[in-house]
Amino acid sequence: MRFILDRNTWQEIYGSISKNKIRTMITVIGVLWGIFIYIALSGAAKGMDNGFEQQFETVAMNSLFAWAQNTSMPYEGFKTGRQLQLKLADASVLKNRIPEIQYVAPRNVRGFFGSEPAIVGRGQKSSSYTVYGDFPEYTKIATKKIYDNGRFINKEDIEQARKVCVIGERTEKELFEKDESPIGAYVKVDNVNFQVVGVHKFVPGGGFETDGDIFIPFSTYKKLYNTGEDVGWFSLAAYDDADVMKVEEDVKAVLKNIHRVHPEDERAFGSFNLGEIFNKVMGFSKGITFLSLVVGIATILAGIIGIGNILLISVKERTKELGIRRALGATPREVRSQIILESVFLTMIAGVVGVILGAGVLSLINRFTQDIDFPYTNPTVPIPYVLGALALMVILGTLIGLIPAQRAVSIRPIDALREE
């Protein structure tokens, strides 16, 4: 420790490095570039992770959606092109037959998929809005952020077919005065009075609805629009340990069985598997992270080998100097420590500068991607990863420094003094 803190030690290191500054700088840049690539690529991959997690933060990552379409194959006397219709009872069948399903939420909508929007008004104000008929289970699949003094649809609303609704932030601004509380007030949905029980917050990229959508109980929707037992589509969420791809296949198989559809008819039911998409995105992001690690370590290793190279050249050029030090009493341990310390010092300088440059580039990327319509946010590298990379560089710098250090201590003082 005393040797490391000795001023003369660092003077000798500086003198050795400054003898050929350009050569040293070029070699250090090789190590610097490696840690820079690692920080930049790992941070960029983390930014993608953060972006997609934010994009899906209010939607279960193992969720999927299923709806009915037209058949494309004849089956059991039914002709091709039969229009299928999901029913409310299908939800119970799916839940009972597929144990991997955690939640099933039947949904209906007016003002979407080509249907006419609902006219919602209050007093002299009115406008067109999308109205959803939902069950409370829907919030288990796609979380709705409700203002503190409000709530979402509950079980009693469904059982009693209450005329209650949850409106969006934009709906509140358009139908209510600035300082007026909408909770407990009434709005007309297609000329039927509904009491407002909640206002849902709008989360950018956080779901599929907008800030103007209105939610009412599924049972009330059924009476209001005379939809009977018809369901527009199912929102489903599987358990965390379930294979979402397998669940999707099972859901379609069960629906085909219920509605007497040919087992090989792939067009009868449509689906959108959010879990599959999320897994692909996460897999791609992990691939980028792994690639950055491989490329970064390979580049760092190449640079460190370069440092070992210039130290071997330095030892050759300083043969006489080392001989004099040995003749004056310097021990092999002191000479070896001197060379290894030079190697670690150069490696650490390169590493720290590379980390700073990488962090600067990530900061610029974050600044320029804040306002773009792409799931990307806060590209960073966890501190343990950075410290781990620097620790690896110290270890490699020490190991590579052993080669020229051993070369230095193997020189006999008498032979060194004869060198010209």
Side-chain angles (χ1 to χ4, degrees):
M1 191 67 176
R2 183 183 299 176
F3 174 78
I4 296 176
L5 298 177
D6 190 351
R7 182 180 178 182
N8 292 330
T9 300
W10 292 102
Q11 284 180 338
E12 290 181 19
I13 291 175
Y14 175 75
S16 173
I17 293 173
S18 60
K19 285 181 180 180
N20 200 325
K21 296 179 181 178
I22 296 177
R23 183 177 65 194
T24 302
M25 185 177 300
I26 292 174
T27 306
V28 166
I29 287 175
V31 181
L32 181 154
W33 183 247
I35 191 70
F36 170 78
I37 289 177
Y38 171 71
I39 296 295
L41 289 180
S42 296
K46 184 62 177 176
M48 188 176 295
D49 277 352
N50 294 337
F52 277 96
E53 286 180 3
Q54 184 185 66
Q55 191 79 0
F56 300 135
E57 67 177 349
T58 63
V59 182
M61 295 177 185
N62 56 343
S63 61
L64 61 97
F65 313 95
W67 59 89
Q69 300 179 148
N70 295 331
T71 60
S72 62
M73 299 175 68
Y75 188 64
E76 292 187 356
F78 292 102
K79 295 181 180 180
T80 301
R82 174 165 56 106
Q83 175 65 55
L84 301 173
Q85 177 61 59
L86 296 176
K87 297 294 181 178
L88 189 58
D90 296 347
S92 298
V93 178
L94 288 171
K95 193 76 167 60
N96 292 332
R97 293 191 187 179
I98 308 174
E100 291 83 6
I101 293 179
Q102 187 174 17
Y103 301 109
V104 180
R107 304 194 71 194
N108 273 328
V109 63
R110 190 169 184 85
F112 206 59
F113 300 121
S115 62
E116 290 292 327
I119 303 300
V120 182
R122 184 171 185 272
Q124 300 301 314
K125 300 178 180 179
S126 66
S127 187
S128 299
Y129 297 95
T130 300
V131 175
Y132 290 88
D134 276 309
F135 283 86
E137 285 81 4
Y138 177 61
T139 59
K140 304 290 186 180
I141 301 170
T143 304
K144 305 306 295 182
K145 295 187 177 180
I146 308 295
Y147 281 104
D148 295 337
N149 56 343
R151 66 174 177 83
F152 195 69
I153 295 161
N154 60 31
K155 185 178 179 181
E156 288 73 23
D157 295 334
I158 298 293
E159 293 174 348
Q160 301 173 29
R162 291 173 177 170
K163 295 183 179 68
V164 296
C165 66
V166 178
I167 64 175
E169 289 177 312
R170 178 167 59 85
T171 313
E172 178 190 8
K173 292 178 182 177
E174 293 175 351
L175 299 181
F176 291 84
E177 300 299 328
K178 185 175 182 181
D179 299 325
E180 185 180 11
S181 173
I183 306 299
Y186 286 84
V187 297
K188 283 191 173 183
V189 180
D190 284 335
N191 292 319
V192 177
N193 284 319
F194 278 76
Q195 185 179 34
V196 178
V197 294
V199 179
H200 65 87
K201 299 180 181 181
F202 176 62
V203 181
F208 300 105
E209 291 86 23
T210 70
D211 56 352
D213 293 337
I214 296 173
F215 303 89
I216 65 176
F218 188 94
S219 53
T220 310
Y221 183 102
K222 179 170 63 173
K223 290 183 177 181
L224 181 62
Y225 296 111
N226 194 30
T227 57
E229 297 298 301
D230 291 352
V231 172
W233 74 98
F234 290 121
S235 293
L236 307 100
Y239 286 99
D240 293 339
D241 59 348
D243 182 350
V244 184
M245 293 285 291
K246 180 66 166 53
V247 172
E248 181 182 14
E249 293 176 3
D250 292 343
V251 166
K252 288 186 176 181
V254 171
L255 290 176
K256 288 175 184 178
N257 179 262
I258 296 172
H259 294 274
R260 299 171 69 184
V261 174
H262 196 291
E264 297 180 6
D265 191 340
E266 298 299 328
R267 297 183 184 179
F269 295 97
S271 62
F272 178 77
N273 196 325
L274 188 61
E276 178 188 1
I277 293 175
F278 185 79
N279 289 336
K280 286 182 179 179
V281 170
M282 292 298 103
F284 175 76
S285 180
K286 289 178 181 178
I288 293 294
T289 302
F290 179 74
L291 178 64
S292 67
L293 180 64
V294 172
V295 173
I297 290 178
T299 311
I300 290 170
L301 186 60
I304 289 177
I305 290 173
I307 288 177
N309 222 5
I310 66 164
L311 288 177
L312 281 172
I313 297 173
S314 175
V315 167
K316 178 66 177 176
E317 293 175 346
R318 295 159 58 193
T319 300
K320 190 169 184 178
E321 171 195 333
L322 293 172
I324 293 173
R325 288 189 60 193
R326 292 290 305 280
L328 293 176
T331 64
R333 181 179 178 181
E334 290 175 343
V335 174
R336 185 183 294 109
S337 299
Q338 174 77 28
I339 303 300
I340 292 175
L341 191 57
E342 286 184 31
S343 176
V344 173
F345 175 72
L346 291 174
T347 304
M348 284 303 298
I349 288 293
V352 171
V353 174
V355 168
I356 293 173
L357 290 178
V361 168
L362 291 179
S363 178
L364 289 175
I365 293 175
N366 186 46
R367 180 178 300 178
F368 288 119
T369 55
Q370 286 182 346
D371 299 324
I372 65 172
D373 187 19
F374 185 76
Y376 193 91
T377 183
N378 193 26
T380 55
V381 180
I383 295 299
Y385 287 17
V386 176
L387 296 178
L390 292 176
L392 176 64
M393 295 181 72
V394 170
I395 294 171
L396 292 176
T398 301
L399 293 176
I400 204 70
L402 287 172
I403 300 174
Q406 190 59 39
R407 172 75 178 85
V409 299
S410 66
I411 302 173
R412 294 191 301 172
I414 189 64
D415 295 331
L417 292 174
R418 291 173 180 168
E419 287 282 339
E420 292 295 333

